[in-house]
Amino acid sequence: MTVVQAEADARQTPPKRRDTDTPGEHWGNSNLFTQTMALTNRSIRPYLQVGVVIVTFVEPLVMLLMFAGVLKTLGDVPGMSGDMEYIDNLAPAIMIITAVAAGAQAGNGLINDLRNDVITRFHTLPIHRFSVLLARSFADAARSLYQLIAVAVLAALIFGFAPPGGFLGVIGAILMSALVGWSMSWIFIMMAALLRNGDVLRMITTLLTFPLLFASNAFVPPESMPTGLRVIAEGNPISYANDAVRSMVAGSASVSELLTTVAVCLALVCVCAPISKRSFRVM
């Protein structure tokens, strides 16, 4: 075969297609589930850096040391359960606080992706846009999950956290707290999709989370509060979440109480997720 013939055959034979030649083909052949898992893996990677992991575990440790040490005398406040130690009442509340705080970061993560033009790139790919929001919520839920495990382990090692509900009660409390945090994350994802302003979102997040977390029955029972604050605490949804998680670690959870908490969480997602999806389309 001559050189001329070889060059002619090369021109007639099309080159083999490689994955790098069509970057969108892989996404186009996938479904919502696989796309969500791939994007979740992408969003989790920054949380696996050594510095981030250390800070992630230090946060619940600081809360445990601060509240369990400084506020230990609150175990004698009227209305506080006398059947359990104060740490057994406090640890479930810190689980809820940790999960909600992690959920609040979902909106900031979406804003950061928007600032870095990652969202613009996603819009050019043949993917379900809702998978981006799902991945964002699942990544922060995964981060909160190992924070919640850290809360339980540190509370047991340092303060002797050993509730009547035993190991199964603690596992149930962790999962319920993670569900509460995941459902709350959709509030902040919705606000991020609507506002698209990180500074405004952070101010709203602070104004929203502090009253929810501290004007509740997390640290003291509502019976010991002033009348106005007691009314707020009794109507606070975080108080109901605290009651559900505490009943699990106490081994006294009722099916109706747990189903109500799960139903409220799912209802919150059903309200916020469609609004987030609609707003995300026009980003």
Side-chain angles (χ1 to χ4, degrees), residues 89-90 92-97 177 180 212-213 216-219 236-249 257 261:
N89 284 286
L90 178 65
I94 293 181
M95 289 182 185
I96 293 293
I97 292 174
S177 300
V180 172
L212 280 175
L213 297 176
S216 68
N217 62 357
F219 307 111
N236 191 336
I238 297 299
S239 294
Y240 293 97
N242 287 331
D243 288 338
V245 174
R246 281 172 174 157
S247 65
M248 296 191 77
V249 300
E257 184 179 30
T261 305

Side-chain angles (χ1 to χ4, degrees), residues 86-159:
Y86 182 64
I87 185 61
D88 296 337
N89 284 286
L90 178 65
I94 293 181
M95 289 182 185
I96 293 293
I97 292 174
T98 301
V100 173
Q105 296 301 316
N108 292 325
L110 188 62
I111 292 291
N112 290 335
D113 286 343
L114 181 62
R115 285 181 173 178
N116 297 332
D117 292 330
V118 176
I119 300 300
T120 303
R121 184 179 179 184
F122 285 155
H123 284 349
T124 63
L125 296 175
I127 65 175
H128 297 275
R129 294 184 179 181
F130 190 54
S131 64
V132 179
L133 303 181
L134 284 174
R136 183 75 265 166
S137 68
F138 289 152
D140 288 280
R143 177 174 177 262
S144 73
L145 188 59
Y146 63 77
Q147 276 190 310
L148 293 170
I149 295 174
V151 170
V153 173
L154 293 172
L157 293 177
I158 300 175
F159 298 101

Side-chain angles (χ1 to χ4, degrees), residues 107 110-111 114 133 186-197 200-201 204 271-272 274-283:
L110 188 62
I111 292 291
L114 181 62
L133 303 181
W186 282 100
I187 296 178
F188 303 103
I189 290 175
M190 178 186 66
M191 289 192 298
L194 291 171
L195 297 173
R196 309 175 196 178
N197 187 311
V200 176
L201 179 62
I204 294 178
V271 171
C272 296
I275 300 175
S276 304
K277 180 180 179 182
R278 183 177 303 177
S279 302
F280 187 66
R281 287 178 180 176
V282 297
M283 271 189 170

Side-chain angles (χ1 to χ4, degrees), residues 10-26:
R11 286 194 298 268
Q12 293 175 0
T13 304
K16 293 182 179 180
R17 177 176 291 179
R18 298 177 299 176
D19 292 339
T20 54
D21 295 332
T22 54
E25 183 178 0
H26 171 72

